[in-house]
């Protein structure tokens, strides 16, 4: 690996001279695999295989990702964390910036590496990422900002026995009760295979290793740490941070970190690293949750593994958004406009158990929201044309937007904003009187933990995916400097499928003046008999003939107020 590192450095030196076009061909199709050592199942792979090889490019390169759809259903692909500034139609979110790519057809995604850092590329059509359609996407700096000797990539996945379409249908179907469907708990994969089967990571005494840790999980949480070693975090979701030393990373679905680990001075012992997959959910799935995985940090072949006394998670220092600061020192943004959003559980009159972030559970429009923004002239500035269930939130160009996101429930979420990073300015407790817990919760007002208000001390950390703990609000800020239609959604697929999403429509007036919707994207809809222009249902103005009725919320006993 050390040799490889040197070689990579030499290649990097050459590549630094000029930008390259990197062409990657993906034939997306079904594969039969046993990834966790237990479940042989149908999955979605690329070029006949899983895992999908990670994609690495250099700052300034252009990635041409040619996708062919060999599935029997539509597909689309999203580069998570990439801004697509000026090319919002390349974001890949199904029914937001494009129709799905139909079976048998191809589409080319052009991804310009204008950012640097650790990202991932995944399916963004009907949660196909959970079936395997996901891989890390690394954009290296031309001149590394930090000095290190080698890189180690850890791609973390939760892997279920059942296919996601099956699971999502179960979640959104009418159901006689508000009881959640029977729990199924995934296995943990590291770099594509059973988390206990990973190759040893070679360390040489005194050398520095940049770990890129990518949570490609769909529903569950991952913790990572290397007993006996510290992690110096340098990058958070593609944003450089002031280096900060922690013991471990605790990651929600979609989050990424780079951290430098300095090898110890002696090769007397080997060490193990610990990866824990767990459901961040108060009524734990007993017996299965959590699952532990271990891998070897190999200093010397044949060296004994260092036996360290067990440490509880509470004794360790974990990465914390509010303690981290952006390296560029960007101060807290002022507030031009505030959107108050709240994660809610909704029971509908037709007996479905859904979720909402604003008024309605998010439902895909018939016309991709971006196409409506391009087509509606001045009306594009009126949120009504996008249809109520799309939950479009209109933002003026260059406004500084505050999202005050409340989570009065006992569920934890991992929220992702497309097209931007946001500042994490403040966390605090929600009003106790608004708290809703699940019927079997042991909590009362008296046993509720005291939650302090915590505010960023300096340059707030920016990231694109954020964990919001139970009973807390978070204050986020972003500059609306990227015209387009950008989803803000929970990255836990079961929550996303149930409607926990809104769409920010950023400066549609500027969008119409400065960008052009490719004809080929409209044709892709039309060939499938889908509409490609007009309001949310493809009509003119405020004619919503054909709009399915919005779900009517009824009182639910899925959650109840916290007992006194
Ligand atoms: C409320 O909860 C009970 C017990 O779980 C269940 O039997 C009942 O059907 C629920 N009512 C609704 C409207 O979901
Ligand atoms: C992985 O290996 C560790 C150490 O041997 C063991 O404790 C753990 O149960 C294993 N995990 C799984 C999911 O089998
Ligand atoms: C230390 O690592 C080497 C190389 O993987 C391995 O052969 C050896 O068994 C390890 N030591 C122990 C005690 O696991
Ligand atoms: C690492 O994980 C194992 C379980 O597989 C646990 O026994 C051990 O205490 C953990 N080590 C630390 C330092 O947390
Ligand atoms: C998008 O481009 C504009 C114009 O170059 C720039 O001002 C803005 O900061 C960019 N925004 C992002 C998110 O890249």
């Amino acid at each position: 690996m050390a040799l490889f590192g040197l070689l990579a450095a030499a290649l990097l030196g050459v590549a630094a001279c000029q930008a390259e076009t990197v062409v990657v061909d993906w034939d997306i199709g079904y594969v039969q695999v046993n990834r966790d050592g237990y479940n042989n199942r149908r999955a979605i792979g690329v070029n006949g295989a899983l895992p999908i090889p990670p994609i690495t490019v250099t700052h300034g390169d252009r990635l041409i990702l040619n996708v062919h759809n060999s599935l029997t259903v539509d597909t689309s692909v999203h580069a998570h964390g990439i801004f697509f500034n000026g090319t919002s139609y390349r974001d890949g979110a199904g029914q937001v910036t494009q129709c799905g790519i139909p079976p048998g057809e191809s589409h080319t995604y052009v991804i310009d590496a204008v950012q640097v850092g650790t990202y991932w590329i995944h399916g963004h059509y009907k949660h196909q990422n959970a079936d395997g359609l996901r891989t890390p996407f690394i954009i290296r700096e031309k001149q590394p900002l930090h000095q290190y000797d080698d890189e180690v990539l850890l791609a973390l996945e939760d892997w279920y026995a059942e296919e996601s379409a099956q699971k999502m249908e179960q979640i959104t179907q009418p159901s006689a009760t508000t009881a959640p469907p029977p729990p199924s708990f995934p296995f943990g994969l590291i770099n594509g295979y059973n988390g206990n089967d990973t190759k040893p990571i070679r360390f040489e005494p005194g050398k520095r290793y940049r770990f890129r840790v990518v949570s490609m999980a769909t529903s569950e949480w991952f913790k990572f740490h290397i007993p006996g070693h510290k992690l110096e975090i340098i990058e958070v979701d593609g944003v450089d941070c002031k280096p900060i030393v922690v013991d471990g990373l605790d990651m929600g679905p979609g989050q990424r970190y780079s951290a430098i680990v300095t090898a110890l001075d002696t090769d007397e012992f080997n060490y193990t690293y610990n990866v824990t997959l767990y459901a961040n959910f108060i009524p734990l799935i007993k017996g299965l949750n959590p699952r532990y995985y271990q891998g070897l940090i190999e200093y010397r072949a044949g060296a004994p593994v260092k036996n360290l006394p067990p440490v509880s998670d509470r004794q360790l220092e974990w990465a914390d958004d509010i303690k981290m600061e952006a390296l560029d020192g960007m101060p807290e943004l002022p507030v031009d406009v505030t959107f108050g959003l709240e994660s809610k559980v909704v029971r509908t009159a037709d007996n479905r158990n859904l979720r909402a972030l604003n008024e309605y559970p998010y439902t895909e429009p018939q016309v991709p929201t971006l196409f409506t923004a391009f087509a509606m002239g001045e009306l594009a500035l009126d949120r009504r044309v996008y249809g109520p269930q799309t939950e479009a939130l209109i933002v003026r160009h260059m406004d500084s937007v505050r999202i005050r996101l409340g989570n009065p429930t006992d569920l934890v979420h991992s929220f992702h904003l497309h097209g931007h990073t946001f500042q994490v300015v403040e966390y605090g407790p929600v009003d106790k009187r608004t708290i809703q817990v699940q019927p079997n919760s042991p909590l009362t007002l008296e046993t509720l933990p005291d939650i302090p208000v915590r505010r960023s001390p300096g340059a707030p950390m920016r990231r694109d995916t954020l964990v919001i703990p139970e009973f807390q609000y978070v204050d986020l800020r972003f500059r609306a400097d990227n015209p387009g239609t950008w989803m803000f959604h929970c990255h836990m697929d079961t929550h996303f499928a149930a409607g926990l999403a809104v769409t920010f429509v950023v400066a549609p007036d500027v969008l119409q003046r400065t960008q052009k919707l490719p004809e080929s994207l409209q044709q892709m809809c039309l060939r499938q008999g889908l509409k490609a222009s007009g309001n949310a249902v493809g009509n003119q103005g405020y004619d919503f003939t054909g709009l399915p009725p919005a779900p009517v919320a009824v009182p639910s006993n899925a959650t109840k107020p916290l007992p006194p």
Side-chain angles (χ1 to χ4, degrees):
M1 212 169 194
L3 240 183
F4 171 78
L6 276 176
L7 195 63
L11 287 175
L12 275 175
V14 175
C17 303
Q18 76 195 77
E20 281 182 40
T21 299
V22 178
V23 180
V24 175
D25 295 320
W26 275 14
D27 183 3
I28 299 177
Y30 297 108
V31 290
Q32 195 70 30
V33 282
N34 183 341
R35 306 183 80 194
D36 51 22
Y38 297 93
N39 298 292
N40 195 315
R41 54 158 286 190
R42 189 175 80 153
I44 297 180
V46 157
N47 304 336
L50 267 183
I52 303 167
I55 298 177
T56 301
V57 300
T58 304
H59 189 209
D61 286 354
R62 163 166 285 195
L63 170 65
I64 306 275
L65 181 58
N66 294 313
V67 169
H68 180 77
N69 182 7
S70 292
L71 303 171
T72 56
V73 293
D74 282 18
T75 191
S76 80
V77 164
H78 165 62
H80 182 123
I82 301 302
F83 296 149
F84 297 108
N85 193 358
T87 53
S88 55
Y89 46 82
R90 291 176 178 162
D91 188 51
Q95 291 307 112
V96 182
T97 61
Q98 68 165 96
C99 293
I101 307 166
E105 291 203 10
S106 300
H107 179 67
T108 294
Y109 290 94
V110 177
I111 301 167
D112 287 322
V114 293
Q115 299 158 254
V116 293
T118 309
Y119 303 91
W120 58 304
I121 297 182
H122 64 81
H124 211 296
Y125 193 88
K126 307 276 187 220
H127 316 287
Q128 290 167 351
N129 52 323
D131 293 318
L133 187 50
R134 49 189 174 186
T135 196
F137 175 44
I138 311 298
I139 309 178
R140 293 214 173 102
E141 303 104 329
K142 282 186 176 160
Q143 303 294 334
L145 187 60
H146 300 272
Q147 187 255 315
Y148 49 86
D149 299 289
D150 209 344
E151 285 193 21
V152 179
L153 177 63
L154 294 177
L156 310 176
E157 291 174 81
D158 50 0
W159 191 246
Y160 289 86
E162 68 268 50
E163 293 187 26
S164 71
Q166 204 182 321
K167 205 168 134 205
M168 298 311 160
E169 192 173 298
Q170 196 185 16
I171 281 162
T172 51
Q173 279 302 299
S175 149
T177 72
T178 53
S184 75
F185 195 65
F187 288 92
L189 309 180
I190 303 177
N191 293 341
Y193 299 97
N194 178 320
N196 269 346
D197 291 347
T198 42
K199 281 187 285 191
I201 298 171
R202 272 286 285 147
F203 266 25
E204 282 183 45
K207 290 212 162 153
R208 286 159 61 83
Y209 299 89
R210 177 182 189 154
F211 277 67
R212 296 186 190 257
V213 189
V214 184
S215 172
M216 308 197 300
T218 54
S219 300
E220 310 304 357
W221 260 245
F222 276 104
K223 279 183 189 168
F224 166 69
H225 82 124
I226 312 175
H229 296 71
K230 294 281 185 187
L231 304 173
E232 184 187 3
I233 302 174
I234 54 168
E235 180 226 326
V236 177
D237 293 354
V239 181
D240 294 316
C241 66
K242 293 187 184 161
I244 180 168
V245 175
V246 299
D247 295 306
L249 307 174
D250 188 1
M251 302 170 72
Q255 295 193 307
R256 295 91 60 209
Y257 289 97
S258 281
I260 292 188
V261 179
T262 303
L264 306 177
D265 284 333
T266 149
D267 65 359
E268 199 181 344
F269 296 104
N270 289 340
Y271 287 77
T272 55
Y273 60 84
N274 275 11
V275 170
T276 308
L277 165 74
Y278 70 107
N280 202 333
F281 185 51
I282 286 176
L284 298 180
I285 305 167
K286 290 202 180 64
L288 300 177
N289 180 32
R291 291 196 206 271
Y292 297 106
Y293 294 95
Q294 289 193 319
L296 194 66
I297 301 279
E298 181 198 287
Y299 277 89
R300 181 166 53 82
V305 170
K306 178 81 171 175
N307 262 324
L308 291 166
V311 197
S312 87
D313 281 1
R314 280 165 202 267
Q315 292 168 275
L316 300 174
E317 172 110 18
W318 300 90
D320 182 346
D321 289 342
I322 217 79
K323 289 186 186 158
M324 296 189 287
E325 290 191 71
L327 186 65
D328 61 14
M330 183 199 281
E332 183 182 313
L333 288 167
V335 178
D336 295 319
V337 56
T338 296
F339 292 95
L341 302 175
E342 195 172 78
S343 151
K344 290 186 279 273
V345 177
V346 177
R347 174 84 173 165
T348 66
D350 60 347
N351 296 329
R352 288 178 297 152
N353 298 313
L354 301 180
R355 293 170 187 276
L357 198 50
N358 199 28
E359 196 178 350
Y360 295 105
Y362 175 86
T363 312
E364 288 173 356
Q366 292 167 40
V367 174
T369 303
L370 183 68
F371 295 18
T372 298
F374 269 110
M376 296 304 286
E378 281 182 14
L379 290 189
L381 285 159
D382 183 342
R383 70 184 298 256
R384 286 179 291 171
V385 299
Y386 302 95
Q389 301 170 60
T390 310
E391 284 295 2
L393 304 173
I394 314 285
V395 181
R396 286 181 311 183
H397 195 221
M398 297 314 280
D399 262 6
S400 172
V401 180
R402 172 163 81 156
I403 304 175
R404 195 170 189 288
L405 174 62
N407 182 18
T409 67
D410 51 1
L411 297 165
V412 183
H413 301 287
S414 189
F415 275 95
H416 172 48
L417 176 62
H418 289 221
H420 305 263
T421 53
F422 44 70
Q423 293 181 325
V424 186
V425 169
E426 184 178 290
Y427 285 101
V430 295
D431 183 342
K432 283 189 179 182
R433 287 164 306 183
T434 66
I435 286 180
Q436 298 274 325
V437 293
Q438 293 170 75
N440 54 354
S441 169
L443 276 178
T444 65
L445 273 179
E446 258 147 36
T447 57
L448 188 69
D450 260 333
I451 296 167
V453 172
R454 302 185 321 129
R455 208 177 160 75
S456 167
M461 194 57 222
R462 299 194 301 281
R463 63 185 316 165
D464 61 48
T465 310
L466 160 118
V467 171
I468 178 161
E470 62 275 23
F471 315 134
Q472 297 199 27
Y473 69 78
V474 64
D475 183 332
L476 308 175
R477 310 279 168 87
F478 73 94
R479 176 76 70 191
D481 59 4
N482 187 5
T485 55
W486 308 109
M487 287 209 102
F488 180 60
H489 66 92
C490 183
H491 222 288
M492 299 169 74
D493 283 5
T494 48
H495 296 178
F496 185 18
L500 204 52
V502 296
T503 309
F504 282 99
V505 176
V506 174
D509 45 347
V510 179
L511 175 83
Q512 291 169 7
R513 283 203 305 274
T514 58
Q515 296 178 36
K516 191 172 171 342
L517 185 62
E519 177 76 9
S520 60
L521 277 182
Q522 287 182 291
Q523 290 302 330
M524 197 193 285
C525 304
L526 296 171
R527 276 197 303 277
Q528 305 177 70
L530 301 172
K531 294 164 184 165
S533 184
N535 65 23
V537 290
N539 298 337
Q540 289 310 304
Y542 299 108
D543 172 8
F544 285 104
T545 318
L547 181 74
V552 179
V554 297
S556 159
N557 63 4
T559 56
K560 55 168 196 181
L562 196 62

